[in-house]
């Protein structure tokens, strides 16, 4: 029996989803006029809908008190907002915007006069204030004037309630309940305004941040290998050498007979070799080791926390790993080796001297047979 009900439940959920989708599609329906913001009309319809639902709740709970005057006002408010919602499909966005403000202000004033300050209808003035700044592009002076008018109106209504009794006094419990309902719908309206109008800008800002991150990455890394490039390496070394408490070892290494690899197997295979060796650097060297492509088949390795002897140990492990890699040259398989020139920072030499010394040791390694570490 339970299994038989499963398809029915699934169908019911799908129907509910389709109804919800139809409601969303109906709210998003365009006015059909050119050069109008579809986002603006969606927010207008949502706000009118929220206030219509709020009025419906008012009708239900005021009916329980049998205060027929208050009930008539609540029903009239509901009809007014339903009418405004339907008209939004025939009016322009600007007309709907003006109508929403006029209806909401008239309804707020009438609600305060009828029910008093304690029901919290005045909070909708803040919603109109926020909506004003989000909805209109430019028109800063008009926004400021409208904001000032809303401020004056809210203060006036507060003092009005101090000296006038509500036309339809409500019990304390009902007034408190309507205050909570008001607060809920005002927060819901503000959230809808902020979310819909800020979604695109936040997405755009996120794309700009990611784009800038990509630009920085491209400026600081080698395109082929993904390692740091020469410029970013020099910046890193400059900052590193300023701190004389750092233990630093620097290694300049070079792929042996790399020109032969390109000539024999082609540049595409040569690129594969560069990528694989770069990947091995990242995998086998200590996590804080700074690895860069210095140029061509040359790489610069910076060990910020290792002395020379410790760096030799790390390099020897790396040397063995790289020699063990077998590359597919199509016509045959082959392996490559690297020669390493290592220096330890003496806290006195400048950057140019250190790099020159590393280059000299690399040259010495090449002259003495390659595939070795000279320290």
């Amino acid at each position: 029996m339970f299994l038989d009900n499963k398809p029915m439940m699934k169908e019911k959920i799908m129907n509910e989803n389709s109804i919800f989708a139809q409601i969303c599609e109906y709210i998003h329906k365009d006015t059909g006029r050119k050069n109008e913001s579809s986002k603006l009309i969606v927010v207008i319809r949502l706000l009118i809908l929220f206030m219509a639902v709020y009025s419906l709740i008012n009708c239900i709970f005021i009916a329980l008190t049998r205060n027929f005057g208050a009930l008539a006002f609540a029903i009239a408010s509901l009809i007014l907002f339903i009418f405004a919602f339907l008209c939004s499909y025939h009016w322009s966005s600007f007309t709907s915007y003006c109508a929403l403000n006029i209806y909401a202000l008239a309804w707020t004033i009438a609600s305060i006069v009828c029910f008093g300050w304690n029901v919290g209808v005045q909070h909708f003035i803040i919603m109109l204030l926020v909506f004003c700044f989000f909805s209109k592009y430019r028109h800063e002076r008009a926004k400021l004037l409208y904001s000032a008018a809303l401020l004056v109106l809210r203060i006036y209504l507060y003092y009005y309630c101090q000296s006038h009794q509500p036309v339809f006094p409500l019990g304390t419990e009902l007034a408190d309940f309507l205050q909570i309902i008001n607060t809920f719908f005002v927060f819901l309206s503000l959230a809808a305004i902020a979310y819909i109008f800020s979604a695109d800008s936040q997405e755009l800002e996120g794309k700009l941040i990611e784009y800038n991150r990509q630009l920085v990455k491209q400026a600081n890394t080698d395109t082929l290998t993904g390692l740091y490039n020469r410029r970013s390496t020099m910046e890193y070394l400059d900052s590193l050498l300023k701190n004389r408490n750092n233990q630093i070892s620097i290694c300049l290494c070079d792929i042996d007979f790399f020109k032969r690899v390109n000539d024999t197997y082609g540049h595409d295979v040569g690129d594969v070799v560069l990528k694989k060796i770069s990947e091995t650097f990242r995998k086998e060297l200590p996590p804080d080791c700074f690895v860069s492509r210095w140029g061509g088949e040359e790489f610069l390795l910076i060990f910020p926390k290792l002395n020379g002897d410790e760096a030799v140990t790390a390099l020897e492990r790396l040397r063995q790993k790289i020699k063990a890699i077998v590359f597919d040259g199509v016509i045959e398989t082959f392996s490559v080796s690297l020669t390493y020139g290592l220096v330890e920072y003496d806290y006195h030499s400048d950057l140019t001297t250190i790099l020159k010394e590393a280059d000299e040791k690399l040259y010495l390694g090449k002259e003495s047979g390659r595939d070795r570490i000279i320290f």
Side-chain angles (χ1 to χ4, degrees), residues 317-345:
R317 184 171 59 251
L318 174 70
R319 189 183 72 85
Q320 296 293 339
K321 290 286 185 180
I322 290 177
K323 281 190 66 176
I325 301 172
V326 178
F327 295 97
D328 182 8
V330 182
I331 57 176
E332 61 180 349
T333 59
F334 67 95
S335 299
V336 297
S337 63
L338 274 73
T339 303
Y340 308 82
L342 177 67
V343 296
E344 183 179 319
Y345 179 50

Side-chain angles (χ1 to χ4, degrees), residues 201-270:
S201 61
Q202 288 179 354
E203 182 181 358
L204 179 60
E205 184 178 1
K207 288 181 179 178
L208 287 174
I209 291 172
E210 178 61 22
Y211 179 67
N212 288 331
R213 189 187 70 80
Q214 292 292 338
L215 288 179
V216 171
K217 183 179 179 181
Q218 291 174 11
N220 292 331
T221 58
D222 172 63
T223 306
L224 177 65
T225 63
L227 300 178
Y228 291 105
N229 59 22
R230 196 183 187 105
R231 185 181 69 84
S232 60
T233 304
M234 294 300 291
E235 291 176 355
Y236 176 72
L237 278 171
D238 281 337
S239 64
L240 200 61
L241 297 184
K242 288 177 182 178
N243 185 356
R244 293 188 171 272
N245 295 321
N246 285 331
Q247 183 76 59
I248 307 168
S249 295
I250 299 173
C251 174
L252 190 62
C253 55
D254 181 279
I255 303 175
D256 298 327
F257 302 113
F258 186 68
K259 185 177 183 301
R260 185 184 301 173
V261 172
N262 282 329
D263 292 343
T264 305
Y265 307 108
H267 288 279
D268 289 342
V269 175

Side-chain angles (χ1 to χ4, degrees), residues 30-38 93:
D30 200 358
T31 59
R33 298 171 183 266
K34 295 182 179 180
N35 302 320
E36 288 200 332
S37 170
S38 58
S93 296

Side-chain angles (χ1 to χ4, degrees), residues 31 33 35-37 40-41 44 88 91-102 131 135-136 139 142:
T31 59
R33 298 171 183 266
N35 302 320
E36 288 200 332
S37 170
L40 176 60
I41 197 65
I44 290 171
S88 69
W91 295 339
S92 66
S93 296
F94 178 73
T95 303
S96 297
Y97 171 78
C98 293
L100 170 63
N101 279 268
I102 293 170
F131 185 42
S135 62
K136 304 300 291 180
H139 306 291

